[in-house]
Amino acid sequence: MNGKQNKIDRRDFLKTAGAASIGSVLASARAIAGPNEPNVVDPNAKEKAQEPKLPPVPRRKLGKTGVEVPCLALGFGAAGEPTVLRKALEWGINHWDTSLVAAGGNSEISIGEFISKNPKVRKDLFIVTKESDSKTAADLEKCLQKSLEKMHTTYVDLYMGVYRMSEPEQLTDEVKKWAENAKKRKLIRLFGFSTHKNVDRCLSAAAKLGWIDAVQMTCNFRTIRDANMQAAIEACHKAGIGLIAMKTQAKMTDSDEDKKLTEHFLKRGFTEGQAKIKAVLEDERISTACVAMQNVALLTTNVAAVLDKTKLSQTDVTFLDTYAQASCSGYCAGCAYICDEALTEAPYVSDIMRYLMYYNSYGQQERAKELFATIPSEARGRLLSMDYSIAEARCPQHMPIGKLVNEAVSKLA
Ligand code: SF4
C-alpha cells in the first residue's frame, strides 16, 4: 500500500468509526485486516464470516507483572452485552474491568453468564474487579468470594482490593497480608487499588510499598501533564507498577468549548473521544485506557483510535489544553486534600463533584443518587448551610463549589 492510500484509509476509518455504522468501518479497515480467532461460541458466525477482520488491539506490559494487556480495556459501566463482549474479544480486548457493585451488581453477573456459556474463554480473559469499600481482611474475603461466585470463576486476574482509595493510609499491613494470602490460595493473580481522589498522593505512596502490582486511576488530558501527576506516574513506572487510566474523556457539557473541540478533531479525522484516548496513551508508561463501552459502535470507535498510529500534533495538544483551561471550572480534578483542608466539616466535596459529573455528563442518574446517599446523613444535612468561599479561593480548577453543591443537593438528594 502506498503512503497516500494509507492516509486516505486512516482518515476514512477513524471518521466512519466515530460517526457511522460498523459495516462502513469494517469496510474501511479491510486494508489492515489480519487473523484473530476468539475461543467463543458466536451465534452470528455466518454473518461474521462476511466481515473483514481487524487486527488485534496493540498490547503493552502491565508494569513488571509479566502480563501484557490490550492498550484499550473494556470498562463495564453497565451490564455487558454478549455481542459487545464477543466483539471485544475478537479484537483482542481481553482486559475486562468491573466491580462488585457496578450496574447494581449486574455487571459481574453478565460476565459470569458469558463465561458459563463460553467456558473455554476464561483462560484468555484478564478480569479486573473491585470490592465495595472494604476495610478489613474479613470484608475483603467476603467481597472477593461474592465476585468469584457471580462471575463463575475460581480466580480474579487483578483484584483492586482498595476501591476508590483516597488516602495512602488505607493500604494497611492487614490488607497486604490478605493480598499475599489470596495470591497463595490462587484466588487472585495480582493486587492493586483504584483511585479518583488525591490520585498523585495515592500513586506516590504505592510506589514506595513494593507490594502493589497495578493501579487504576483517573487520568486524562486535563490531569496527565500536571507536575505532581507526572512525578507520581514516573515513580510508579520505576517501581514496576502497572498503570491503568480511567475517566479518560473528562467531558463536562455541550458548551461552545466542546463544540470547538469537536469541530477541530473532526477536521483532523478524529472524534473528540478518540483524540482524548490518544492523549493518554501517547504516554507509554500508561499500560491501558479503560473505557466503558456499552455498545459495538462505541467499541468500534475506540478500537479505531488505538489501531491508528497517527500521533496528536502540537496543534491538537494546544486545542486540548485550551479546552481544558476554558472548561476547568466544570471539572473536579480530585485534589481533595486542598478543599478538605478548607472544609473540615464536609470532606466530601470532591466526591459530590464526581457524582454530579456522573449525573450531568455520563447519564448515570441512578448511580449518582446511590453514591450521594452513601455520604453520612449528618454531613449531607450540613451541605446547604456551609460557607465554601475559602475552598473556592484555593481550588486550582476555580470551581464555583457552593453553587455546584447546591445543584448536587437539588438533583441527587
Ligand atoms: S473542588 Fe477543587 S480543590 Fe476540591 S477536589 Fe475538586 S478541583 Fe480539587
Side-chain angles (χ1 to χ4, degrees):
M1 187 189 307
N2 64 34
K4 190 180 170 196
Q5 181 65 44
N6 202 359
K7 193 174 174 189
I8 290 166
D9 285 342
R10 182 194 72 75
R11 286 179 61 86
D12 192 24
F13 181 49
L14 286 165
K15 271 188 175 171
T16 49
S21 70
I22 185 167
S24 55
V25 172
L26 293 173
S28 301
R30 188 175 290 113
I32 50 173
N36 188 24
E37 293 299 334
N39 199 2
V40 181
V41 177
D42 186 347
N44 302 316
K46 268 192 183 169
E47 288 161 36
K48 270 182 47 194
Q50 309 297 319
E51 291 176 352
K53 290 178 180 170
L54 295 179
V57 160
R59 301 181 81 80
R60 291 185 181 179
K61 287 182 179 155
L62 185 67
K64 64 177 182 190
T65 62
V67 173
E68 283 196 346
V69 290
C71 67
L72 179 67
L74 180 64
F76 282 68
E81 285 294 323
T83 317
V84 176
L85 306 189
R86 269 196 302 276
K87 194 56 87 175
L89 270 182
E90 186 184 331
W91 289 335
I93 302 176
N94 66 329
H95 177 158
W96 292 2
D97 177 86
T98 183
S99 79
L100 184 60
V101 293
N106 289 322
S107 162
E108 286 188 338
I109 290 173
S110 67
I111 292 175
E113 286 170 354
F114 188 82
I115 290 174
S116 289
K117 286 182 185 151
N118 305 282
K120 286 185 185 164
V121 92
R122 174 63 188 95
K123 66 178 175 14
D124 300 327
L125 291 174
F126 184 77
I127 295 181
V128 183
T129 194
K130 310 169 202 83
E131 52 75 53
S132 56
D133 300 323
S134 300
K135 301 280 187 298
T136 66
D139 290 339
L140 281 162
E141 184 71 22
K142 204 166 138 194
C143 288
L144 175 62
Q145 292 296 345
K146 267 195 214 163
S147 291
L148 295 174
E149 192 183 331
K150 286 167 69 187
M151 292 193 285
H152 297 171
T153 183
T154 56
Y155 66 98
V156 165
D157 296 276
L158 169 58
Y159 196 55
M160 298 289 183
V162 185
Y163 186 22
R164 300 188 283 233
M165 184 169 129
S166 57
E167 303 296 339
E169 291 73 27
Q170 290 170 262
L171 296 168
T172 61
D173 277 350
E174 183 176 356
V175 172
K176 178 187 175 190
K177 281 183 190 141
W178 179 85
E180 288 169 349
N181 185 266
K183 283 183 182 177
K184 274 188 200 144
R185 290 181 289 147
K186 300 197 185 311
L187 299 179
I188 64 174
R189 288 171 66 199
L190 303 167
F191 183 86
F193 64 86
S194 67
T195 175
H196 307 85
K197 189 170 165 182
N198 298 330
V199 172
D200 53 348
R201 291 187 172 195
C202 292
L203 261 59
S204 300
K208 293 178 190 147
L209 290 177
W211 55 276
I212 299 297
D213 298 306
V215 176
Q216 182 166 352
M217 75 285 182
T218 297
C219 180
N220 53 54
F221 67 96
R222 295 177 187 274
T223 63
I224 196 166
R225 277 196 294 282
D226 173 79
N228 291 336
M229 186 68 171
Q230 277 292 311
I233 288 174
E234 183 59 15
C236 283
H237 179 66
K238 281 194 176 147
I241 295 175
L243 292 171
I244 301 167
M246 64 175 167
K247 308 282 183 273
T248 57
Q249 298 300 297
K251 183 180 167 77
M252 290 312 300
T253 54
D254 287 322
S255 63
D256 286 346
E257 278 81 25
D258 283 279
K259 283 177 196 143
K260 272 188 228 159
L261 194 69
T262 303
E263 281 166 17
H264 167 77
F265 283 114
L266 281 178
K267 277 186 208 149
R268 287 271 292 132
F270 307 129
T271 67
E272 171 197 335
Q274 288 170 325
K276 287 175 179 174
I277 290 175
K278 281 176 175 289
V280 170
L281 289 180
E282 285 189 359
D283 188 327
E284 296 276 341
R285 298 169 298 181
I286 307 293
S287 303
T288 184
C290 179
V291 185
M293 296 178 275
Q294 291 93 339
N295 54 56
V296 173
L298 186 54
L299 176 67
T300 308
T301 302
N302 293 339
V303 166
V306 298
L307 287 180
D308 176 64
K309 291 189 171 56
T310 309
K311 298 230 177 267
L312 295 181
S313 67
Q314 190 51 52
T315 309
D316 296 333
V317 173
T318 303
F319 253 88
L320 282 169
D321 282 347
T322 306
Y323 167 74
Q325 279 169 21
S327 60
C328 71
S329 63
Y331 180 79
C332 175
C335 39
Y337 55 89
I338 296 176
C339 50
D340 284 357
E341 267 177 24
L343 296 164
T344 50
E345 292 193 2
Y348 300 99
V349 164
S350 72
D351 301 306
I352 293 168
M353 298 298 122
R354 186 157 49 84
Y355 306 155
L356 191 58
M357 178 176 75
Y358 292 158
Y359 189 99
N360 286 340
S361 306
Y362 287 36
Q364 297 176 350
Q365 283 82 1
E366 285 313 308
R367 181 182 176 210
K369 286 180 185 177
E370 282 166 21
L371 286 165
F372 186 77
T374 64
I375 297 172
S377 57
E378 201 185 320
R380 269 183 281 142
R382 278 198 296 267
L383 288 173
L384 293 182
S385 58
M386 292 192 52
D387 176 5
Y388 296 96
S389 54
I390 296 176
E392 287 175 352
R394 293 182 188 171
C395 175
Q397 297 289 102
H398 311 295
M399 299 192 81
I401 296 172
K403 182 169 160 266
L404 292 167
V405 167
N406 263 277
E407 182 182 339
V409 171
S410 72
K411 289 178 171 173
L412 309 181

Tab-separated table of all heavy atoms in Angstrom, residues 331-336 338-339 349-350 353 395-397 399 401, ligand 1:
chain	number	residue	atom	x	y	z
A	331	TYR	N	-14.785	20.994	35.937
A	331	TYR	CA	-14.190	19.661	36.113
A	331	TYR	C	-13.407	19.592	37.423
A	331	TYR	O	-12.445	20.345	37.626
A	331	TYR	CB	-13.235	19.337	34.952
A	331	TYR	CG	-12.602	17.969	35.106
A	331	TYR	CD1	-13.321	16.820	34.781
A	331	TYR	CD2	-11.325	17.818	35.631
A	331	TYR	CE1	-12.775	15.559	34.965
A	331	TYR	CE2	-10.761	16.563	35.817
A	331	TYR	CZ	-11.497	15.436	35.473
A	331	TYR	OH	-10.950	14.193	35.661
A	332	CYS	N	-13.807	18.688	38.282
A	332	CYS	CA	-13.097	18.497	39.551
A	332	CYS	C	-11.933	17.541	39.317
A	332	CYS	O	-12.131	16.416	38.861
A	332	CYS	CB	-14.052	17.930	40.597
A	332	CYS	SG	-13.207	17.549	42.148
A	333	ALA	N	-10.731	18.008	39.661
A	333	ALA	CA	-9.527	17.200	39.420
A	333	ALA	C	-9.257	16.206	40.546
A	333	ALA	O	-8.269	15.485	40.503
A	333	ALA	CB	-8.333	18.115	39.214
A	334	GLY	N	-10.109	16.199	41.562
A	334	GLY	CA	-9.970	15.193	42.627
A	334	GLY	C	-8.875	15.495	43.636
A	334	GLY	O	-8.514	14.624	44.427
A	335	CYS	N	-8.360	16.736	43.636
A	335	CYS	CA	-7.300	17.101	44.590
A	335	CYS	C	-7.944	17.453	45.927
A	335	CYS	O	-7.858	18.589	46.415
A	335	CYS	CB	-6.477	18.260	44.049
A	335	CYS	SG	-7.441	19.541	43.189
A	336	ALA	N	-8.573	16.467	46.535
A	336	ALA	CA	-9.423	16.701	47.709
A	336	ALA	C	-8.656	17.260	48.892
A	336	ALA	O	-9.235	17.960	49.737
A	336	ALA	CB	-10.110	15.395	48.092
A	338	ILE	N	-6.886	19.635	49.023
A	338	ILE	CA	-6.938	21.105	49.003
A	338	ILE	C	-8.250	21.601	49.603
A	338	ILE	O	-8.258	22.398	50.540
A	338	ILE	CB	-6.764	21.632	47.561
A	338	ILE	CG1	-5.367	21.256	47.056
A	338	ILE	CG2	-6.992	23.131	47.494
A	338	ILE	CD1	-5.106	21.634	45.608
A	339	CYS	N	-9.376	21.117	49.096
A	339	CYS	CA	-10.645	21.641	49.633
A	339	CYS	C	-10.979	21.028	50.994
A	339	CYS	O	-11.632	21.678	51.816
A	339	CYS	CB	-11.789	21.501	48.644
A	339	CYS	SG	-11.982	19.889	47.931
A	349	VAL	N	-16.532	17.100	49.307
A	349	VAL	CA	-16.785	17.957	48.143
A	349	VAL	C	-16.337	17.304	46.839
A	349	VAL	O	-17.082	17.290	45.856
A	349	VAL	CB	-16.107	19.344	48.338
A	349	VAL	CG1	-16.019	20.092	47.019
A	349	VAL	CG2	-16.920	20.161	49.329
A	350	SER	N	-15.136	16.720	46.824
A	350	SER	CA	-14.676	16.143	45.545
A	350	SER	C	-15.558	14.961	45.149
A	350	SER	O	-15.797	14.720	43.965
A	350	SER	CB	-13.210	15.730	45.617
A	350	SER	OG	-13.057	14.594	46.417
A	353	MET	N	-18.712	16.424	43.657
A	353	MET	CA	-18.458	16.928	42.295
A	353	MET	C	-18.438	15.765	41.291
A	353	MET	O	-18.919	15.870	40.168
A	353	MET	CB	-17.113	17.676	42.232
A	353	MET	CG	-17.018	18.901	43.114
A	353	MET	SD	-18.195	20.182	42.683
A	353	MET	CE	-19.090	20.367	44.208
A	395	CYS	N	-9.270	26.423	45.235
A	395	CYS	CA	-9.473	25.380	44.218
A	395	CYS	C	-8.687	25.698	42.940
A	395	CYS	O	-8.930	26.723	42.295
A	395	CYS	CB	-10.960	25.264	43.891
A	395	CYS	SG	-11.279	24.109	42.538
A	396	PRO	N	-7.754	24.851	42.542
A	396	PRO	CA	-6.960	25.145	41.334
A	396	PRO	C	-7.793	25.143	40.050
A	396	PRO	O	-7.384	25.702	39.046
A	396	PRO	CB	-5.911	24.026	41.314
A	396	PRO	CG	-6.469	22.932	42.149
A	396	PRO	CD	-7.362	23.569	43.162
A	397	GLN	N	-8.970	24.523	40.107
A	397	GLN	CA	-9.840	24.489	38.923
A	397	GLN	C	-10.840	25.665	38.927
A	397	GLN	O	-11.675	25.748	38.034
A	397	GLN	CB	-10.629	23.166	38.891
A	397	GLN	CG	-9.780	21.913	38.766
A	397	GLN	CD	-9.157	21.773	37.388
A	397	GLN	OE1	-7.974	22.054	37.210
A	397	GLN	NE2	-9.939	21.354	36.408
A	399	MET	N	-13.448	26.157	40.706
A	399	MET	CA	-14.838	25.672	40.664
A	399	MET	C	-15.740	26.507	41.571
A	399	MET	O	-15.353	26.827	42.693
A	399	MET	CB	-14.892	24.211	41.115
A	399	MET	CG	-14.085	23.294	40.227
A	399	MET	SD	-14.430	21.560	40.560
A	399	MET	CE	-15.931	21.330	39.633
A	401	ILE	N	-17.774	26.064	43.947
A	401	ILE	CA	-18.128	24.884	44.740
A	401	ILE	C	-19.514	25.023	45.379
A	401	ILE	O	-20.333	24.094	45.328
A	401	ILE	CB	-17.036	24.624	45.807
A	401	ILE	CG1	-15.719	24.282	45.111
A	401	ILE	CG2	-17.447	23.495	46.750
A	401	ILE	CD1	-14.513	24.183	46.040
B	1	SF4	S1	-13.305	21.011	44.241
B	1	SF4	FE1	-11.391	21.939	43.505
B	1	SF4	S2	-9.934	21.695	45.218
B	1	SF4	FE2	-11.649	20.289	45.600
B	1	SF4	S3	-11.006	18.383	44.701
B	1	SF4	FE3	-12.190	19.423	43.115
B	1	SF4	S4	-10.656	20.551	41.908
B	1	SF4	FE4	-9.647	19.943	43.833
